[in-house]
Amino acid sequence: ITIAIEFRKSEGERMKIMVAVKRVVDYAVKIRVKPDKSGVETKNVKMSMNPFCEIALEEALRIKESGNATEVVAVSMGGPQCAETLRTAMAMGADKAIHVATDGSLYPLTVAKLLQSLVATEQPGLLMLGKQAIDDDFNQTGQMVAALLRWPQGTFASKVDLDKEKGTAMVDREVDGGLETLCLGLPAVITSDLRLNQPRYATLPNIMKAKSKPIKKVTPDELQVHIKPDLEIVEVVDPPKRKSGVMVSSIDELIDKLKNEAH
């Protein structure tokens, strides 16, 4: 799923930002594994926009509200249910929506190729994604599409500042040792981390308006991308159940259990 934003670089020149989002099982839902262990149960389960992608969308909308963007275009990849995510994106502030319709499973490399084709069509100057999806936790799509496009990338962004005059983006990213600041020449790829911003809630009037907005459909064939599985999920299992705690009567007993039982 993708969002595109267009912002004015100068009076005679415009630049688009594309923001990828994904429809996933809601973060508050308890995950259930299918009986055949082929995946997780998604039927009759609440679905929502991936939280990290929602953060990327919020950042794009803030660029628009600051006067640097003129249009937001949401692009969703998947089945018919993706229309719900597109409606949410438009309720949050996106102006248009495009649905890349496919019923097959989409893995990171395929999504990256679809994004590459969309970039060739839309000609954006910046591509933004959530750093990962909470359903598969691949954390690969942003890096893959940057490699395919041969664009610089700033992953795990906690702050983004665009300089329209210089055509650069300053990105603060979280690393093990603290914060790292990158200066990326546009066009570039940026993936959002949790602390980049706090996404807004869609208001009821905007939700109602989004229901009547048109959604344009395209197919992978039209984008000249052949969808094929590049990996196989062998088995999905529940994590081992956590053992109950044990009360100890002294520090010596605690140390003994940590050393000899917990290792």
Side-chain angles (χ1 to χ4, degrees):
I1 305 172
T2 305
I3 307 285
I5 292 184
E6 188 177 283
F7 70 92
R8 193 179 298 273
K9 190 175 181 181
S10 65
E11 282 300 315
E13 186 178 358
R14 294 182 176 186
M15 187 173 76
K16 293 182 181 179
I17 304 174
M18 297 179 66
V19 184
V21 297
K22 184 180 181 182
R23 183 175 182 269
V24 299
V25 176
D26 189 84
Y27 71 93
V29 172
K30 180 176 174 58
I31 300 298
R32 292 181 291 110
V33 175
K34 292 181 179 179
D36 61 1
K37 298 183 178 181
S38 62
V40 298
E41 191 62 62
T42 57
K43 292 182 178 179
N44 301 319
V45 173
K46 181 182 179 182
M47 308 291 284
S48 63
M49 188 184 297
N50 178 50
F52 290 106
C53 300
E54 193 175 14
I55 291 170
L57 172 59
E58 172 64 27
E59 191 68 17
L61 295 174
R62 293 186 182 189
I63 293 174
K64 176 185 175 182
E65 292 170 351
S66 69
N68 293 324
T70 58
E71 186 180 26
V72 178
V73 182
V75 184
S76 167
M77 302 177 190
Q81 299 87 352
C82 289
E84 299 176 7
T85 304
L86 290 172
R87 301 291 181 194
T88 300
M90 289 189 289
M92 289 178 66
D95 304 297
K96 299 179 182 178
I98 301 175
H99 179 199
V100 182
T102 175
D103 293 326
S105 298
L106 295 175
Y107 295 107
L109 183 57
T110 301
V111 175
K113 290 179 178 178
L114 289 168
L115 286 173
Q116 180 189 23
S117 183
L118 287 169
V119 165
T121 302
E122 298 293 329
Q123 293 294 308
L126 180 64
L127 176 61
M128 295 188 67
L129 310 87
K131 71 173 185 178
Q132 66 192 71
I134 62 172
D135 55 354
D136 51 34
D137 284 327
F138 277 130
N139 183 18
Q140 296 175 351
T141 305
Q143 293 88 329
M144 285 181 171
V145 72
L148 291 173
L149 293 169
R150 297 180 181 273
W151 285 6
Q153 59 179 293
T155 56
F156 318 132
S158 59
K159 183 179 179 181
V160 177
D161 288 321
L162 296 178
D163 190 325
K164 297 182 295 182
E165 300 300 326
K166 296 181 179 179
T168 60
M170 299 295 294
V171 178
D172 289 349
R173 60 189 304 267
E174 298 185 3
V175 296
D176 291 340
L179 291 177
E180 179 182 62
T181 301
L182 302 178
C183 180
L184 307 178
L186 301 177
V189 176
I190 296 175
T191 67
S192 62
D193 208 342
L194 187 65
R195 280 167 284 279
L196 180 58
N197 58 54
Q198 179 65 43
R200 72 195 65 189
Y201 291 101
T203 62
L204 181 58
N206 287 337
I207 292 173
M208 300 306 294
K209 291 178 183 178
K211 291 182 178 181
S212 61
K213 292 184 179 181
I215 296 177
K216 178 182 177 181
K217 286 189 178 182
V218 296
T219 65
D221 289 339
E222 293 173 336
L223 296 174
Q224 298 182 350
V225 175
H226 176 61
I227 294 180
K228 62 178 181 179
D230 45 26
L231 59 87
E232 178 187 359
I233 296 178
V234 178
E235 187 180 50
V236 177
V237 297
D238 287 310
K241 293 184 178 179
R242 186 176 180 180
K243 296 181 180 179
S244 59
V246 177
M247 297 295 294
V248 295
S249 58
S250 65
I251 295 178
D252 291 336
E253 185 181 358
L254 173 62
I255 294 174
D256 179 69
K257 287 185 176 295
L258 290 173
K259 180 179 179 181
N260 299 314
E261 296 182 18
H263 304 289

